[in-house]
């Protein structure tokens, strides 16, 4: 299973999931009472990174960061061919870096101005909704049937590609924040490749061009000049491929996540 949130691998539970509003949920106990199969779980973005490591970008590099931009934002970090877990498994919460200290947009985690609250799929949709409710003209009015509450990030992307000014500015701003965050990741960890997956990555060139341009402007060139920023190899199936890798790792004891052997 791939779960959005902080996975405490020492306690073997979901410590906190802002997306689901879960606190200390024992998913194994919850699910094993209904399904008579072994249950293996980890953080969704680390699962995606494991899939990339085994079946995708891992064939080309041992040092990469998988950035998942969907409903929320997370990072799965692979260094020297091993996913990073830290002492408990709770790391990689890229989406909860504060990028705007003055922001009045509250994140699901409770903080204000988190990257996730500025650049995730739900943030893109919400920013467009607010703009429409304030009367800004946009083809989103037609796409949503006049109901701002049904606007999705995909609608904003579609409208932006049609040249809609409002949708373009909302998406471009979100992509810039994502690029600023990724520039920080590159400065901090010096990966060879950044892999971007999740629903928002399906926007394609309009996302990647803005992120690359922003990274170029906001990172240390000596570190970032050779860093590749590429889409996830398996698109929206990245987490599924990761889950396959997770099961193979545990069942066949492939030792892919050896760094974590003393945790669980
Ligand atoms: Zn947050």
């Amino acid at each position: 299973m791939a779960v959005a949130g902080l996975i405490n691998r020492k306690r073997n539970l979901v410590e906190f999931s802002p997306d689901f509003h879960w606190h200390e949920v024992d998913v194994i106990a919850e699910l094993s009472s209904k399904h008579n199969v072994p249950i293996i779980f980890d953080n969704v973005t680390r699962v995606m990174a494991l899939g990339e490591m085994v079946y995708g970008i891992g064939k080309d590099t041992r040092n990469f960061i998988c950035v998942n931009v969907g409903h929320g934002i997370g990072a799965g970090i692979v260094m020297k061919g091993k996913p990073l877990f830290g002492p408990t498994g709770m790391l990689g919460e890229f989406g909860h870096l504060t990028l705007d200290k003055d922001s009045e947009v509250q994140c699901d985690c409770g903080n204000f101005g988190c990257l996730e609250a500025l650049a995730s799929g739900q943030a893109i949709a919400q920013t467009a909704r607010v703009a429409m409710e304030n009367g800004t003209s946009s083809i989103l009015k037609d796409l949503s049937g006049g109901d701002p509450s049904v606007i999705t990030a995909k609608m904003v992307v579609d409208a932006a590609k049609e040249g809609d000014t409002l949708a373009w500015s909302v998406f471009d701003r979100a992509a810039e924040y994502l690029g600023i965050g990724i520039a920080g990741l590159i400065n901090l960890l010096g990966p060879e490749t950044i892999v971007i997956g999740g629903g928002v990555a399906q926007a394609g060139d309009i996302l990647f061009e803005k992120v690359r341009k922003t990274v170029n402007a906001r990172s240390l060139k000596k570190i970032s000049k050779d860093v590749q920023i590429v889409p996830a190899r398996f698109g929206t199936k990245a987490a599924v491929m990761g889950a396959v890798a997770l099961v193979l790792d545990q069942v066949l004891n492939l030792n892919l996540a050896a760094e974590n052997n003393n945790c669980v």
Side-chain angles (χ1 to χ4, degrees):
M1 266 181 68
V3 182
L6 291 173
I7 311 298
N8 188 328
R9 293 173 68 95
K10 278 192 170 170
R11 300 178 68 199
N12 219 15
L13 46 72
V14 180
E15 193 79 40
F16 175 46
S17 173
D19 290 346
F20 300 147
H21 304 288
W22 288 358
H23 291 270
E24 299 192 359
V25 173
D26 185 343
V27 288
I28 292 180
E30 296 281 342
L31 291 173
S32 58
S33 64
K34 299 179 181 69
H35 305 283
N36 190 25
V37 292
I39 294 161
I40 305 165
F41 72 102
D42 198 6
N43 171 273
V44 62
T45 311
R46 195 158 46 220
V47 169
M48 285 174 65
L50 194 64
E52 284 286 346
M53 194 175 103
V54 176
Y55 300 111
I57 201 73
K59 295 183 189 304
D60 302 324
T61 173
R62 287 162 53 81
N63 302 289
F64 68 91
I65 302 171
C66 199
V67 175
N68 184 18
V69 193
H71 185 76
I73 295 178
I77 304 161
V78 176
M79 289 286 146
K80 294 184 178 176
K82 295 290 179 194
L84 297 191
F85 292 91
T88 61
M90 294 190 286
L91 58 66
E93 291 298 326
F94 179 42
H96 300 289
L97 296 184
T98 303
L99 287 201
D100 181 356
K101 74 176 179 60
D102 299 319
S103 175
E104 293 180 358
V105 182
Q106 188 168 27
C107 182
D108 284 339
C109 76
N111 185 30
F112 288 82
C114 286
L115 173 62
E116 183 166 307
L118 300 166
S120 65
Q122 63 167 332
I124 292 166
Q126 181 60 19
T127 308
R129 284 181 204 127
V130 170
M132 263 193 65
E133 283 165 356
N134 289 339
T136 310
S137 71
S138 166
I139 62 171
L140 284 168
K141 192 170 182 180
D142 295 331
L143 292 174
S144 64
D147 179 4
S149 71
V150 304
I151 290 174
T152 62
K154 184 174 185 312
M155 279 184 203
V156 177
V157 169
D158 290 344
K161 287 179 177 175
E162 292 290 318
D164 183 77
T165 305
L166 166 67
W168 182 268
S169 78
V170 167
F171 189 84
D172 193 61
R173 182 173 177 272
E176 184 172 11
Y177 274 121
L178 183 64
I180 291 169
I182 289 175
L185 280 183
I186 291 172
N187 284 352
L188 190 64
L189 295 165
E192 290 171 310
T193 305
I194 298 284
V195 179
I196 307 180
V200 174
Q202 302 307 303
D205 288 346
I206 63 167
L207 177 74
F208 283 85
E209 283 171 11
K210 185 69 179 188
V211 168
R212 289 183 187 119
K213 189 176 165 191
T214 307
V215 165
N216 190 42
R218 300 275 188 173
S219 63
L220 294 169
K221 301 286 187 301
K222 293 280 185 189
I223 303 174
S224 66
K225 65 182 171 57
D226 295 323
V227 177
Q228 302 292 310
I229 300 175
V230 300
R233 192 72 57 97
F234 301 105
T236 54
K237 294 190 175 64
V240 176
M241 295 306 290
V244 171
L246 186 65
V247 171
L248 288 177
D249 184 27
Q250 301 259 333
V251 174
L252 301 180
N253 206 15
L254 296 179
N255 225 19
L256 297 172
E259 188 192 78
N260 191 50
N261 278 355
N262 59 352
C263 268
V264 182

